[in-house]
Amino acid sequence: MSSLDDLYRRVIMDHYQKPRNRGKLDEADGLVVNLNNPTCGDSISLSLKVEDGKVIDARFLGEGCSISMSSASMMTEAVKGKSVDEAIKLSHLFSDLMQGKDIDDSVDLGDIEALSGVAKFPARIKCATLAWKALEQGIRESE
């Protein structure tokens, strides 16, 4: 295993063991999207607060594997404070990353890049993208 793979594994496990933005918003503050991955049993409840075209807050609750829960943690960190357009663009970039496509190197993905290896395991891609699908659905519902 390369040192980069080891670093990525540590980043994923850190987000899994110490998830960022775990919890939910008061229902009056935003909307909630619930999604499940029936293939493996992962589930997520994503709370979003979107105001004036900006993701003000994002929190999640859920159960699942280390990939799905760490991806949710990374996603909420990445989109808070971003415009809706920026959040959707980031979600599309993440989708490309999961499909093994070349992505724009000028975009700083931060911790999200640690999930790039998931592309080698097609069965795990749905795990990694669950939270991102919830994000896109939530943004559509907020418009």
Side-chain angles (χ1 to χ4, degrees), residues 73-119:
S73 174
M74 292 175 195
M75 182 274 295
T76 57
E77 286 259 286
V79 301
K80 281 173 55 170
K82 296 256 191 295
S83 72
V84 166
D85 290 341
E86 290 171 322
I88 291 293
K89 181 180 178 186
L90 191 57
S91 183
H92 291 165
L93 278 172
F94 184 73
S95 179
D96 288 347
L97 183 70
M98 290 299 97
Q99 295 173 41
K101 294 180 181 175
D102 289 333
I103 59 169
D104 184 351
D105 288 341
S106 69
V107 177
D108 179 14
L109 294 176
D111 284 355
I112 296 166
E113 193 172 343
L115 293 167
S116 62
V118 172

mmCIF file of all heavy atoms in Angstrom, residues 73-119:
data_model
loop_
_atom_site.group_PDB
_atom_site.id
_atom_site.type_symbol
_atom_site.label_atom_id
_atom_site.label_comp_id
_atom_site.label_asym_id
_atom_site.label_seq_id
_atom_site.Cartn_x
_atom_site.Cartn_y
_atom_site.Cartn_z
ATOM 1 N N SER A 73 -19.980 13.321 5.967
ATOM 2 C CA SER A 73 -19.243 14.274 6.789
ATOM 3 C C SER A 73 -18.446 15.246 5.914
ATOM 4 O O SER A 73 -18.490 16.468 6.105
ATOM 5 C CB SER A 73 -18.300 13.513 7.732
ATOM 6 O OG SER A 73 -17.469 14.382 8.449
ATOM 7 N N MET A 74 -17.744 14.698 4.927
ATOM 8 C CA MET A 74 -16.948 15.533 4.026
ATOM 9 C C MET A 74 -17.828 16.462 3.199
ATOM 10 O O MET A 74 -17.491 17.629 2.998
ATOM 11 C CB MET A 74 -16.122 14.648 3.091
ATOM 12 C CG MET A 74 -15.034 13.869 3.771
ATOM 13 S SD MET A 74 -14.248 12.752 2.584
ATOM 14 C CE MET A 74 -13.366 11.661 3.683
ATOM 15 N N MET A 75 -18.961 15.943 2.723
ATOM 16 C CA MET A 75 -19.863 16.742 1.899
ATOM 17 C C MET A 75 -20.410 17.924 2.681
ATOM 18 O O MET A 75 -20.409 19.056 2.196
ATOM 19 C CB MET A 75 -21.002 15.865 1.368
ATOM 20 C CG MET A 75 -21.979 16.590 0.459
ATOM 21 S SD MET A 75 -23.310 17.446 1.342
ATOM 22 C CE MET A 75 -24.186 16.076 2.071
ATOM 23 N N THR A 76 -20.865 17.692 3.916
ATOM 24 C CA THR A 76 -21.429 18.797 4.689
ATOM 25 C C THR A 76 -20.375 19.871 4.962
ATOM 26 O O THR A 76 -20.676 21.054 4.916
ATOM 27 C CB THR A 76 -22.063 18.316 6.014
ATOM 28 O OG1 THR A 76 -21.083 17.620 6.788
ATOM 29 C CG2 THR A 76 -23.267 17.429 5.760
ATOM 30 N N GLU A 77 -19.156 19.440 5.218
ATOM 31 C CA GLU A 77 -18.063 20.397 5.421
ATOM 32 C C GLU A 77 -17.824 21.222 4.159
ATOM 33 O O GLU A 77 -17.614 22.430 4.228
ATOM 34 C CB GLU A 77 -16.763 19.647 5.752
ATOM 35 C CG GLU A 77 -16.708 19.075 7.122
ATOM 36 C CD GLU A 77 -15.893 19.927 8.048
ATOM 37 O OE1 GLU A 77 -14.656 19.927 7.950
ATOM 38 O OE2 GLU A 77 -16.517 20.613 8.872
ATOM 39 N N ALA A 78 -17.851 20.554 3.022
ATOM 40 C CA ALA A 78 -17.493 21.191 1.759
ATOM 41 C C ALA A 78 -18.532 22.182 1.265
ATOM 42 O O ALA A 78 -18.175 23.182 0.632
ATOM 43 C CB ALA A 78 -17.248 20.126 0.690
ATOM 44 N N VAL A 79 -19.811 21.941 1.527
ATOM 45 C CA VAL A 79 -20.848 22.791 0.921
ATOM 46 C C VAL A 79 -21.330 23.930 1.808
ATOM 47 O O VAL A 79 -21.922 24.883 1.299
ATOM 48 C CB VAL A 79 -22.061 21.969 0.425
ATOM 49 C CG1 VAL A 79 -21.620 20.945 -0.606
ATOM 50 C CG2 VAL A 79 -22.816 21.324 1.568
ATOM 51 N N LYS A 80 -21.081 23.858 3.094
ATOM 52 C CA LYS A 80 -21.530 24.939 3.972
ATOM 53 C C LYS A 80 -20.872 26.255 3.554
ATOM 54 O O LYS A 80 -19.662 26.326 3.378
ATOM 55 C CB LYS A 80 -21.212 24.619 5.433
ATOM 56 C CG LYS A 80 -22.205 23.657 6.027
ATOM 57 C CD LYS A 80 -21.867 23.162 7.394
ATOM 58 C CE LYS A 80 -21.614 24.163 8.446
ATOM 59 N NZ LYS A 80 -21.516 23.588 9.790
ATOM 60 N N GLY A 81 -21.736 27.263 3.348
ATOM 61 C CA GLY A 81 -21.233 28.569 2.958
ATOM 62 C C GLY A 81 -21.106 28.760 1.454
ATOM 63 O O GLY A 81 -20.827 29.854 0.987
ATOM 64 N N LYS A 82 -21.297 27.696 0.700
ATOM 65 C CA LYS A 82 -21.188 27.788 -0.758
ATOM 66 C C LYS A 82 -22.535 28.214 -1.351
ATOM 67 O O LYS A 82 -23.589 27.974 -0.772
ATOM 68 C CB LYS A 82 -20.825 26.429 -1.358
ATOM 69 C CG LYS A 82 -19.472 25.889 -0.942
ATOM 70 C CD LYS A 82 -18.482 26.063 -2.059
ATOM 71 C CE LYS A 82 -17.180 25.329 -1.856
ATOM 72 N NZ LYS A 82 -16.359 25.732 -0.774
ATOM 73 N N SER A 83 -22.466 28.799 -2.535
ATOM 74 C CA SER A 83 -23.698 29.086 -3.257
ATOM 75 C C SER A 83 -24.293 27.757 -3.714
ATOM 76 O O SER A 83 -23.581 26.742 -3.793
ATOM 77 C CB SER A 83 -23.430 29.983 -4.466
ATOM 78 O OG SER A 83 -22.770 29.257 -5.486
ATOM 79 N N VAL A 84 -25.579 27.771 -4.008
ATOM 80 C CA VAL A 84 -26.244 26.573 -4.506
ATOM 81 C C VAL A 84 -25.547 26.085 -5.782
ATOM 82 O O VAL A 84 -25.307 24.889 -5.944
ATOM 83 C CB VAL A 84 -27.739 26.865 -4.754
ATOM 84 C CG1 VAL A 84 -28.397 25.784 -5.567
ATOM 85 C CG2 VAL A 84 -28.457 27.055 -3.428
ATOM 86 N N ASP A 85 -25.197 27.012 -6.657
ATOM 87 C CA ASP A 85 -24.513 26.641 -7.901
ATOM 88 C C ASP A 85 -23.165 25.980 -7.618
ATOM 89 O O ASP A 85 -22.810 24.992 -8.261
ATOM 90 C CB ASP A 85 -24.321 27.861 -8.813
ATOM 91 C CG ASP A 85 -25.627 28.369 -9.399
ATOM 92 O OD1 ASP A 85 -26.625 27.612 -9.420
ATOM 93 O OD2 ASP A 85 -25.657 29.540 -9.832
ATOM 94 N N GLU A 86 -22.409 26.539 -6.666
ATOM 95 C CA GLU A 86 -21.109 25.950 -6.313
ATOM 96 C C GLU A 86 -21.288 24.550 -5.720
ATOM 97 O O GLU A 86 -20.506 23.639 -6.011
ATOM 98 C CB GLU A 86 -20.374 26.834 -5.311
ATOM 99 C CG GLU A 86 -19.871 28.133 -5.880
ATOM 100 C CD GLU A 86 -19.347 29.081 -4.790
ATOM 101 O OE1 GLU A 86 -19.937 29.145 -3.685
ATOM 102 O OE2 GLU A 86 -18.346 29.765 -5.067
ATOM 103 N N ALA A 87 -22.310 24.383 -4.891
ATOM 104 C CA ALA A 87 -22.569 23.080 -4.271
ATOM 105 C C ALA A 87 -22.931 22.041 -5.322
ATOM 106 O O ALA A 87 -22.446 20.905 -5.285
ATOM 107 C CB ALA A 87 -23.677 23.197 -3.224
ATOM 108 N N ILE A 88 -23.769 22.418 -6.284
ATOM 109 C CA ILE A 88 -24.145 21.497 -7.363
ATOM 110 C C ILE A 88 -22.924 21.160 -8.216
ATOM 111 O O ILE A 88 -22.707 20.002 -8.583
ATOM 112 C CB ILE A 88 -25.274 22.093 -8.233
ATOM 113 C CG1 ILE A 88 -26.577 22.164 -7.433
ATOM 114 C CG2 ILE A 88 -25.465 21.306 -9.522
ATOM 115 C CD1 ILE A 88 -27.179 20.828 -7.065
ATOM 116 N N LYS A 89 -22.108 22.162 -8.513
ATOM 117 C CA LYS A 89 -20.896 21.920 -9.307
ATOM 118 C C LYS A 89 -19.971 20.940 -8.569
ATOM 119 O O LYS A 89 -19.425 20.015 -9.175
ATOM 120 C CB LYS A 89 -20.162 23.236 -9.579
ATOM 121 C CG LYS A 89 -18.907 23.054 -10.409
ATOM 122 C CD LYS A 89 -18.188 24.359 -10.668
ATOM 123 C CE LYS A 89 -16.915 24.112 -11.456
ATOM 124 N NZ LYS A 89 -16.096 25.302 -11.616
ATOM 125 N N LEU A 90 -19.826 21.130 -7.266
ATOM 126 C CA LEU A 90 -18.991 20.235 -6.465
ATOM 127 C C LEU A 90 -19.573 18.816 -6.472
ATOM 128 O O LEU A 90 -18.834 17.832 -6.587
ATOM 129 C CB LEU A 90 -18.868 20.768 -5.039
ATOM 130 C CG LEU A 90 -17.851 20.116 -4.131
ATOM 131 C CD1 LEU A 90 -16.447 20.168 -4.723
ATOM 132 C CD2 LEU A 90 -17.865 20.794 -2.766
ATOM 133 N N SER A 91 -20.885 18.709 -6.404
ATOM 134 C CA SER A 91 -21.529 17.405 -6.451
ATOM 135 C C SER A 91 -21.273 16.712 -7.786
ATOM 136 O O SER A 91 -20.999 15.509 -7.833
ATOM 137 C CB SER A 91 -23.039 17.550 -6.216
ATOM 138 O OG SER A 91 -23.652 16.289 -6.200
ATOM 139 N N HIS A 92 -21.332 17.467 -8.869
ATOM 140 C CA HIS A 92 -21.050 16.890 -10.192
ATOM 141 C C HIS A 92 -19.583 16.466 -10.310
ATOM 142 O O HIS A 92 -19.286 15.418 -10.892
ATOM 143 C CB HIS A 92 -21.419 17.875 -11.296
ATOM 144 C CG HIS A 92 -22.903 18.088 -11.408
ATOM 145 N ND1 HIS A 92 -23.448 19.127 -12.106
ATOM 146 C CD2 HIS A 92 -23.962 17.414 -10.892
ATOM 147 C CE1 HIS A 92 -24.765 19.078 -12.033
ATOM 148 N NE2 HIS A 92 -25.097 18.040 -11.288
ATOM 149 N N LEU A 93 -18.682 17.275 -9.751
ATOM 150 C CA LEU A 93 -17.260 16.898 -9.743
ATOM 151 C C LEU A 93 -17.050 15.600 -8.958
ATOM 152 O O LEU A 93 -16.283 14.734 -9.365
ATOM 153 C CB LEU A 93 -16.410 18.011 -9.129
ATOM 154 C CG LEU A 93 -16.026 19.167 -10.021
ATOM 155 C CD1 LEU A 93 -15.364 20.271 -9.207
ATOM 156 C CD2 LEU A 93 -15.093 18.713 -11.128
ATOM 157 N N PHE A 94 -17.753 15.499 -7.828
ATOM 158 C CA PHE A 94 -17.630 14.290 -7.012
ATOM 159 C C PHE A 94 -18.136 13.081 -7.786
ATOM 160 O O PHE A 94 -17.521 12.003 -7.763
ATOM 161 C CB PHE A 94 -18.385 14.444 -5.689
ATOM 162 C CG PHE A 94 -18.212 13.264 -4.788
ATOM 163 C CD1 PHE A 94 -17.011 13.048 -4.136
ATOM 164 C CD2 PHE A 94 -19.228 12.347 -4.611
ATOM 165 C CE1 PHE A 94 -16.824 11.939 -3.316
ATOM 166 C CE2 PHE A 94 -19.064 11.238 -3.798
ATOM 167 C CZ PHE A 94 -17.861 11.042 -3.149
ATOM 168 N N SER A 95 -19.241 13.244 -8.493
ATOM 169 C CA SER A 95 -19.779 12.168 -9.315
ATOM 170 C C SER A 95 -18.758 11.736 -10.370
ATOM 171 O O SER A 95 -18.540 10.538 -10.586
ATOM 172 C CB SER A 95 -21.079 12.613 -9.983
ATOM 173 O OG SER A 95 -21.589 11.593 -10.802
ATOM 174 N N ASP A 96 -18.125 12.706 -11.013
ATOM 175 C CA ASP A 96 -17.080 12.392 -11.996
ATOM 176 C C ASP A 96 -15.921 11.641 -11.343
ATOM 177 O O ASP A 96 -15.397 10.679 -11.904
ATOM 178 C CB ASP A 96 -16.557 13.662 -12.674
ATOM 179 C CG ASP A 96 -17.550 14.272 -13.648
ATOM 180 O OD1 ASP A 96 -18.551 13.601 -14.006
ATOM 181 O OD2 ASP A 96 -17.330 15.433 -14.052
ATOM 182 N N LEU A 97 -15.535 12.073 -10.156
ATOM 183 C CA LEU A 97 -14.452 11.422 -9.414
ATOM 184 C C LEU A 97 -14.811 9.961 -9.135
ATOM 185 O O LEU A 97 -13.984 9.058 -9.301
ATOM 186 C CB LEU A 97 -14.200 12.175 -8.100
ATOM 187 C CG LEU A 97 -13.059 11.701 -7.221
ATOM 188 C CD1 LEU A 97 -11.715 12.009 -7.870
ATOM 189 C CD2 LEU A 97 -13.156 12.362 -5.844
ATOM 190 N N MET A 98 -16.063 9.717 -8.748
ATOM 191 C CA MET A 98 -16.511 8.355 -8.444
ATOM 192 C C MET A 98 -16.572 7.481 -9.694
ATOM 193 O O MET A 98 -16.481 6.261 -9.610
ATOM 194 C CB MET A 98 -17.893 8.368 -7.777
ATOM 195 C CG MET A 98 -17.895 8.923 -6.373
ATOM 196 S SD MET A 98 -16.864 7.980 -5.224
ATOM 197 C CE MET A 98 -15.353 8.929 -5.223
ATOM 198 N N GLN A 99 -16.723 8.106 -10.851
ATOM 199 C CA GLN A 99 -16.762 7.352 -12.104
ATOM 200 C C GLN A 99 -15.369 7.199 -12.712
ATOM 201 O O GLN A 99 -15.219 6.671 -13.809
ATOM 202 C CB GLN A 99 -17.695 8.048 -13.095
ATOM 203 C CG GLN A 99 -19.137 8.049 -12.648
ATOM 204 C CD GLN A 99 -20.013 8.898 -13.555
ATOM 205 O OE1 GLN A 99 -19.855 8.872 -14.765
ATOM 206 N NE2 GLN A 99 -20.923 9.640 -12.950
ATOM 207 N N GLY A 100 -14.352 7.683 -11.999
ATOM 208 C CA GLY A 100 -12.984 7.546 -12.474
ATOM 209 C C GLY A 100 -12.621 8.507 -13.589
ATOM 210 O O GLY A 100 -11.601 8.324 -14.256
ATOM 211 N N LYS A 101 -13.444 9.525 -13.794
ATOM 212 C CA LYS A 101 -13.166 10.503 -14.846
ATOM 213 C C LYS A 101 -12.099 11.488 -14.384
ATOM 214 O O LYS A 101 -11.932 11.732 -13.186
ATOM 215 C CB LYS A 101 -14.437 11.288 -15.193
ATOM 216 C CG LYS A 101 -15.518 10.446 -15.817
ATOM 217 C CD LYS A 101 -16.733 11.299 -16.131
ATOM 218 C CE LYS A 101 -17.858 10.478 -16.734
ATOM 219 N NZ LYS A 101 -19.071 11.307 -16.928
ATOM 220 N N ASP A 102 -11.401 12.068 -15.344
ATOM 221 C CA ASP A 102 -10.446 13.129 -15.025
ATOM 222 C C ASP A 102 -11.232 14.355 -14.597
ATOM 223 O O ASP A 102 -12.253 14.698 -15.204
ATOM 224 C CB ASP A 102 -9.595 13.481 -16.251
ATOM 225 C CG ASP A 102 -8.599 12.385 -16.588
ATOM 226 O OD1 ASP A 102 -8.201 11.645 -15.662
ATOM 227 O OD2 ASP A 102 -8.239 12.265 -17.770
ATOM 228 N N ILE A 103 -10.769 15.001 -13.545
ATOM 229 C CA ILE A 103 -11.447 16.207 -13.081
ATOM 230 C C ILE A 103 -10.482 17.378 -13.111
ATOM 231 O O ILE A 103 -9.263 17.192 -13.170
ATOM 232 C CB ILE A 103 -12.043 16.027 -11.671
ATOM 233 C CG1 ILE A 103 -10.967 15.670 -10.645
ATOM 234 C CG2 ILE A 103 -13.126 14.964 -11.670
ATOM 235 C CD1 ILE A 103 -11.432 15.741 -9.228
ATOM 236 N N ASP A 104 -11.028 18.562 -13.057
ATOM 237 C CA ASP A 104 -10.265 19.804 -13.092
ATOM 238 C C ASP A 104 -9.327 19.866 -11.882
ATOM 239 O O ASP A 104 -9.779 19.932 -10.742
ATOM 240 C CB ASP A 104 -11.247 20.979 -13.089
ATOM 241 C CG ASP A 104 -10.572 22.327 -13.220
ATOM 242 O OD1 ASP A 104 -9.325 22.395 -13.153
ATOM 243 O OD2 ASP A 104 -11.295 23.323 -13.381
ATOM 244 N N ASP A 105 -8.029 19.824 -12.145
ATOM 245 C CA ASP A 105 -7.038 19.836 -11.061
ATOM 246 C C ASP A 105 -7.004 21.157 -10.294
ATOM 247 O O ASP A 105 -6.457 21.223 -9.202
ATOM 248 C CB ASP A 105 -5.632 19.560 -11.612
ATOM 249 C CG ASP A 105 -5.463 18.117 -12.040
ATOM 250 O OD1 ASP A 105 -6.256 17.264 -11.595
ATOM 251 O OD2 ASP A 105 -4.531 17.842 -12.821
ATOM 252 N N SER A 106 -7.575 22.203 -10.876
ATOM 253 C CA SER A 106 -7.535 23.513 -10.207
ATOM 254 C C SER A 106 -8.544 23.587 -9.055
ATOM 255 O O SER A 106 -8.466 24.488 -8.226
ATOM 256 C CB SER A 106 -7.803 24.643 -11.209
ATOM 257 O OG SER A 106 -9.150 24.606 -11.644
ATOM 258 N N VAL A 107 -9.472 22.637 -8.983
ATOM 259 C CA VAL A 107 -10.467 22.626 -7.913
ATOM 260 C C VAL A 107 -9.887 21.886 -6.716
ATOM 261 O O VAL A 107 -9.455 20.740 -6.829
ATOM 262 C CB VAL A 107 -11.774 21.945 -8.375
ATOM 263 C CG1 VAL A 107 -12.774 21.886 -7.234
ATOM 264 C CG2 VAL A 107 -12.359 22.668 -9.574
ATOM 265 N N ASP A 108 -9.873 22.568 -5.575
ATOM 266 C CA ASP A 108 -9.371 21.954 -4.350
ATOM 267 C C ASP A 108 -10.503 21.160 -3.701
ATOM 268 O O ASP A 108 -11.452 21.739 -3.180
ATOM 269 C CB ASP A 108 -8.852 23.031 -3.386
ATOM 270 C CG ASP A 108 -8.335 22.446 -2.093
ATOM 271 O OD1 ASP A 108 -8.122 21.214 -2.015
ATOM 272 O OD2 ASP A 108 -8.143 23.227 -1.132
ATOM 273 N N LEU A 109 -10.414 19.848 -3.748
ATOM 274 C CA LEU A 109 -11.443 18.995 -3.174
ATOM 275 C C LEU A 109 -11.237 18.746 -1.686
ATOM 276 O O LEU A 109 -12.113 18.192 -1.030
ATOM 277 C CB LEU A 109 -11.483 17.653 -3.914
ATOM 278 C CG LEU A 109 -11.924 17.701 -5.368
ATOM 279 C CD1 LEU A 109 -11.818 16.323 -5.995
ATOM 280 C CD2 LEU A 109 -13.327 18.249 -5.506
ATOM 281 N N GLY A 110 -10.108 19.140 -1.160
ATOM 282 C CA GLY A 110 -9.844 18.932 0.257
ATOM 283 C C GLY A 110 -9.912 17.453 0.614
ATOM 284 O O GLY A 110 -9.451 16.586 -0.142
ATOM 285 N N ASP A 111 -10.538 17.145 1.756
ATOM 286 C CA ASP A 111 -10.620 15.767 2.234
ATOM 287 C C ASP A 111 -11.382 14.856 1.270
ATOM 288 O O ASP A 111 -11.167 13.648 1.249
ATOM 289 C CB ASP A 111 -11.306 15.718 3.602
ATOM 290 C CG ASP A 111 -10.405 16.180 4.736
ATOM 291 O OD1 ASP A 111 -9.208 16.451 4.484
ATOM 292 O OD2 ASP A 111 -10.895 16.266 5.878
ATOM 293 N N ILE A 112 -12.275 15.440 0.465
ATOM 294 C CA ILE A 112 -13.084 14.641 -0.458
ATOM 295 C C ILE A 112 -12.214 13.798 -1.384
ATOM 296 O O ILE A 112 -12.587 12.690 -1.766
ATOM 297 C CB ILE A 112 -14.018 15.560 -1.278
ATOM 298 C CG1 ILE A 112 -15.003 16.248 -0.340
ATOM 299 C CG2 ILE A 112 -14.746 14.791 -2.359
ATOM 300 C CD1 ILE A 112 -15.746 17.404 -0.975
ATOM 301 N N GLU A 113 -11.045 14.290 -1.713
ATOM 302 C CA GLU A 113 -10.141 13.558 -2.605
ATOM 303 C C GLU A 113 -9.783 12.184 -2.041
ATOM 304 O O GLU A 113 -9.483 11.259 -2.794
ATOM 305 C CB GLU A 113 -8.881 14.379 -2.853
ATOM 306 C CG GLU A 113 -8.047 13.839 -3.980
ATOM 307 C CD GLU A 113 -6.899 14.761 -4.357
ATOM 308 O OE1 GLU A 113 -6.908 15.942 -3.988
ATOM 309 O OE2 GLU A 113 -5.988 14.277 -5.035
ATOM 310 N N ALA A 114 -9.862 12.031 -0.726
ATOM 311 C CA ALA A 114 -9.544 10.746 -0.104
ATOM 312 C C ALA A 114 -10.477 9.640 -0.578
ATOM 313 O O ALA A 114 -10.125 8.463 -0.510
ATOM 314 C CB ALA A 114 -9.614 10.868 1.420
ATOM 315 N N LEU A 115 -11.651 10.004 -1.089
ATOM 316 C CA LEU A 115 -12.608 9.010 -1.564
ATOM 317 C C LEU A 115 -12.368 8.594 -3.015
ATOM 318 O O LEU A 115 -13.101 7.763 -3.543
ATOM 319 C CB LEU A 115 -14.037 9.538 -1.398
ATOM 320 C CG LEU A 115 -14.487 9.708 0.051
ATOM 321 C CD1 LEU A 115 -15.766 10.532 0.113
ATOM 322 C CD2 LEU A 115 -14.679 8.360 0.726
ATOM 323 N N SER A 116 -11.354 9.147 -3.650
ATOM 324 C CA SER A 116 -11.109 8.857 -5.067
ATOM 325 C C SER A 116 -10.900 7.370 -5.340
ATOM 326 O O SER A 116 -11.265 6.874 -6.401
ATOM 327 C CB SER A 116 -9.917 9.663 -5.590
ATOM 328 O OG SER A 116 -8.728 9.315 -4.896
ATOM 329 N N GLY A 117 -10.339 6.641 -4.409
ATOM 330 C CA GLY A 117 -10.095 5.217 -4.592
ATOM 331 C C GLY A 117 -11.360 4.381 -4.672
ATOM 332 O O GLY A 117 -11.329 3.240 -5.144
ATOM 333 N N VAL A 118 -12.489 4.946 -4.221
ATOM 334 C CA VAL A 118 -13.752 4.210 -4.274
ATOM 335 C C VAL A 118 -14.115 3.861 -5.722
ATOM 336 O O VAL A 118 -14.772 2.854 -5.975
ATOM 337 C CB VAL A 118 -14.883 5.029 -3.599
ATOM 338 C CG1 VAL A 118 -16.247 4.385 -3.809
ATOM 339 C CG2 VAL A 118 -14.584 5.190 -2.115
ATOM 340 N N ALA A 119 -13.667 4.677 -6.672
ATOM 341 C CA ALA A 119 -13.973 4.436 -8.087
ATOM 342 C C ALA A 119 -13.529 3.041 -8.538
ATOM 343 O O ALA A 119 -14.089 2.482 -9.476
ATOM 344 C CB ALA A 119 -13.316 5.506 -8.960
#
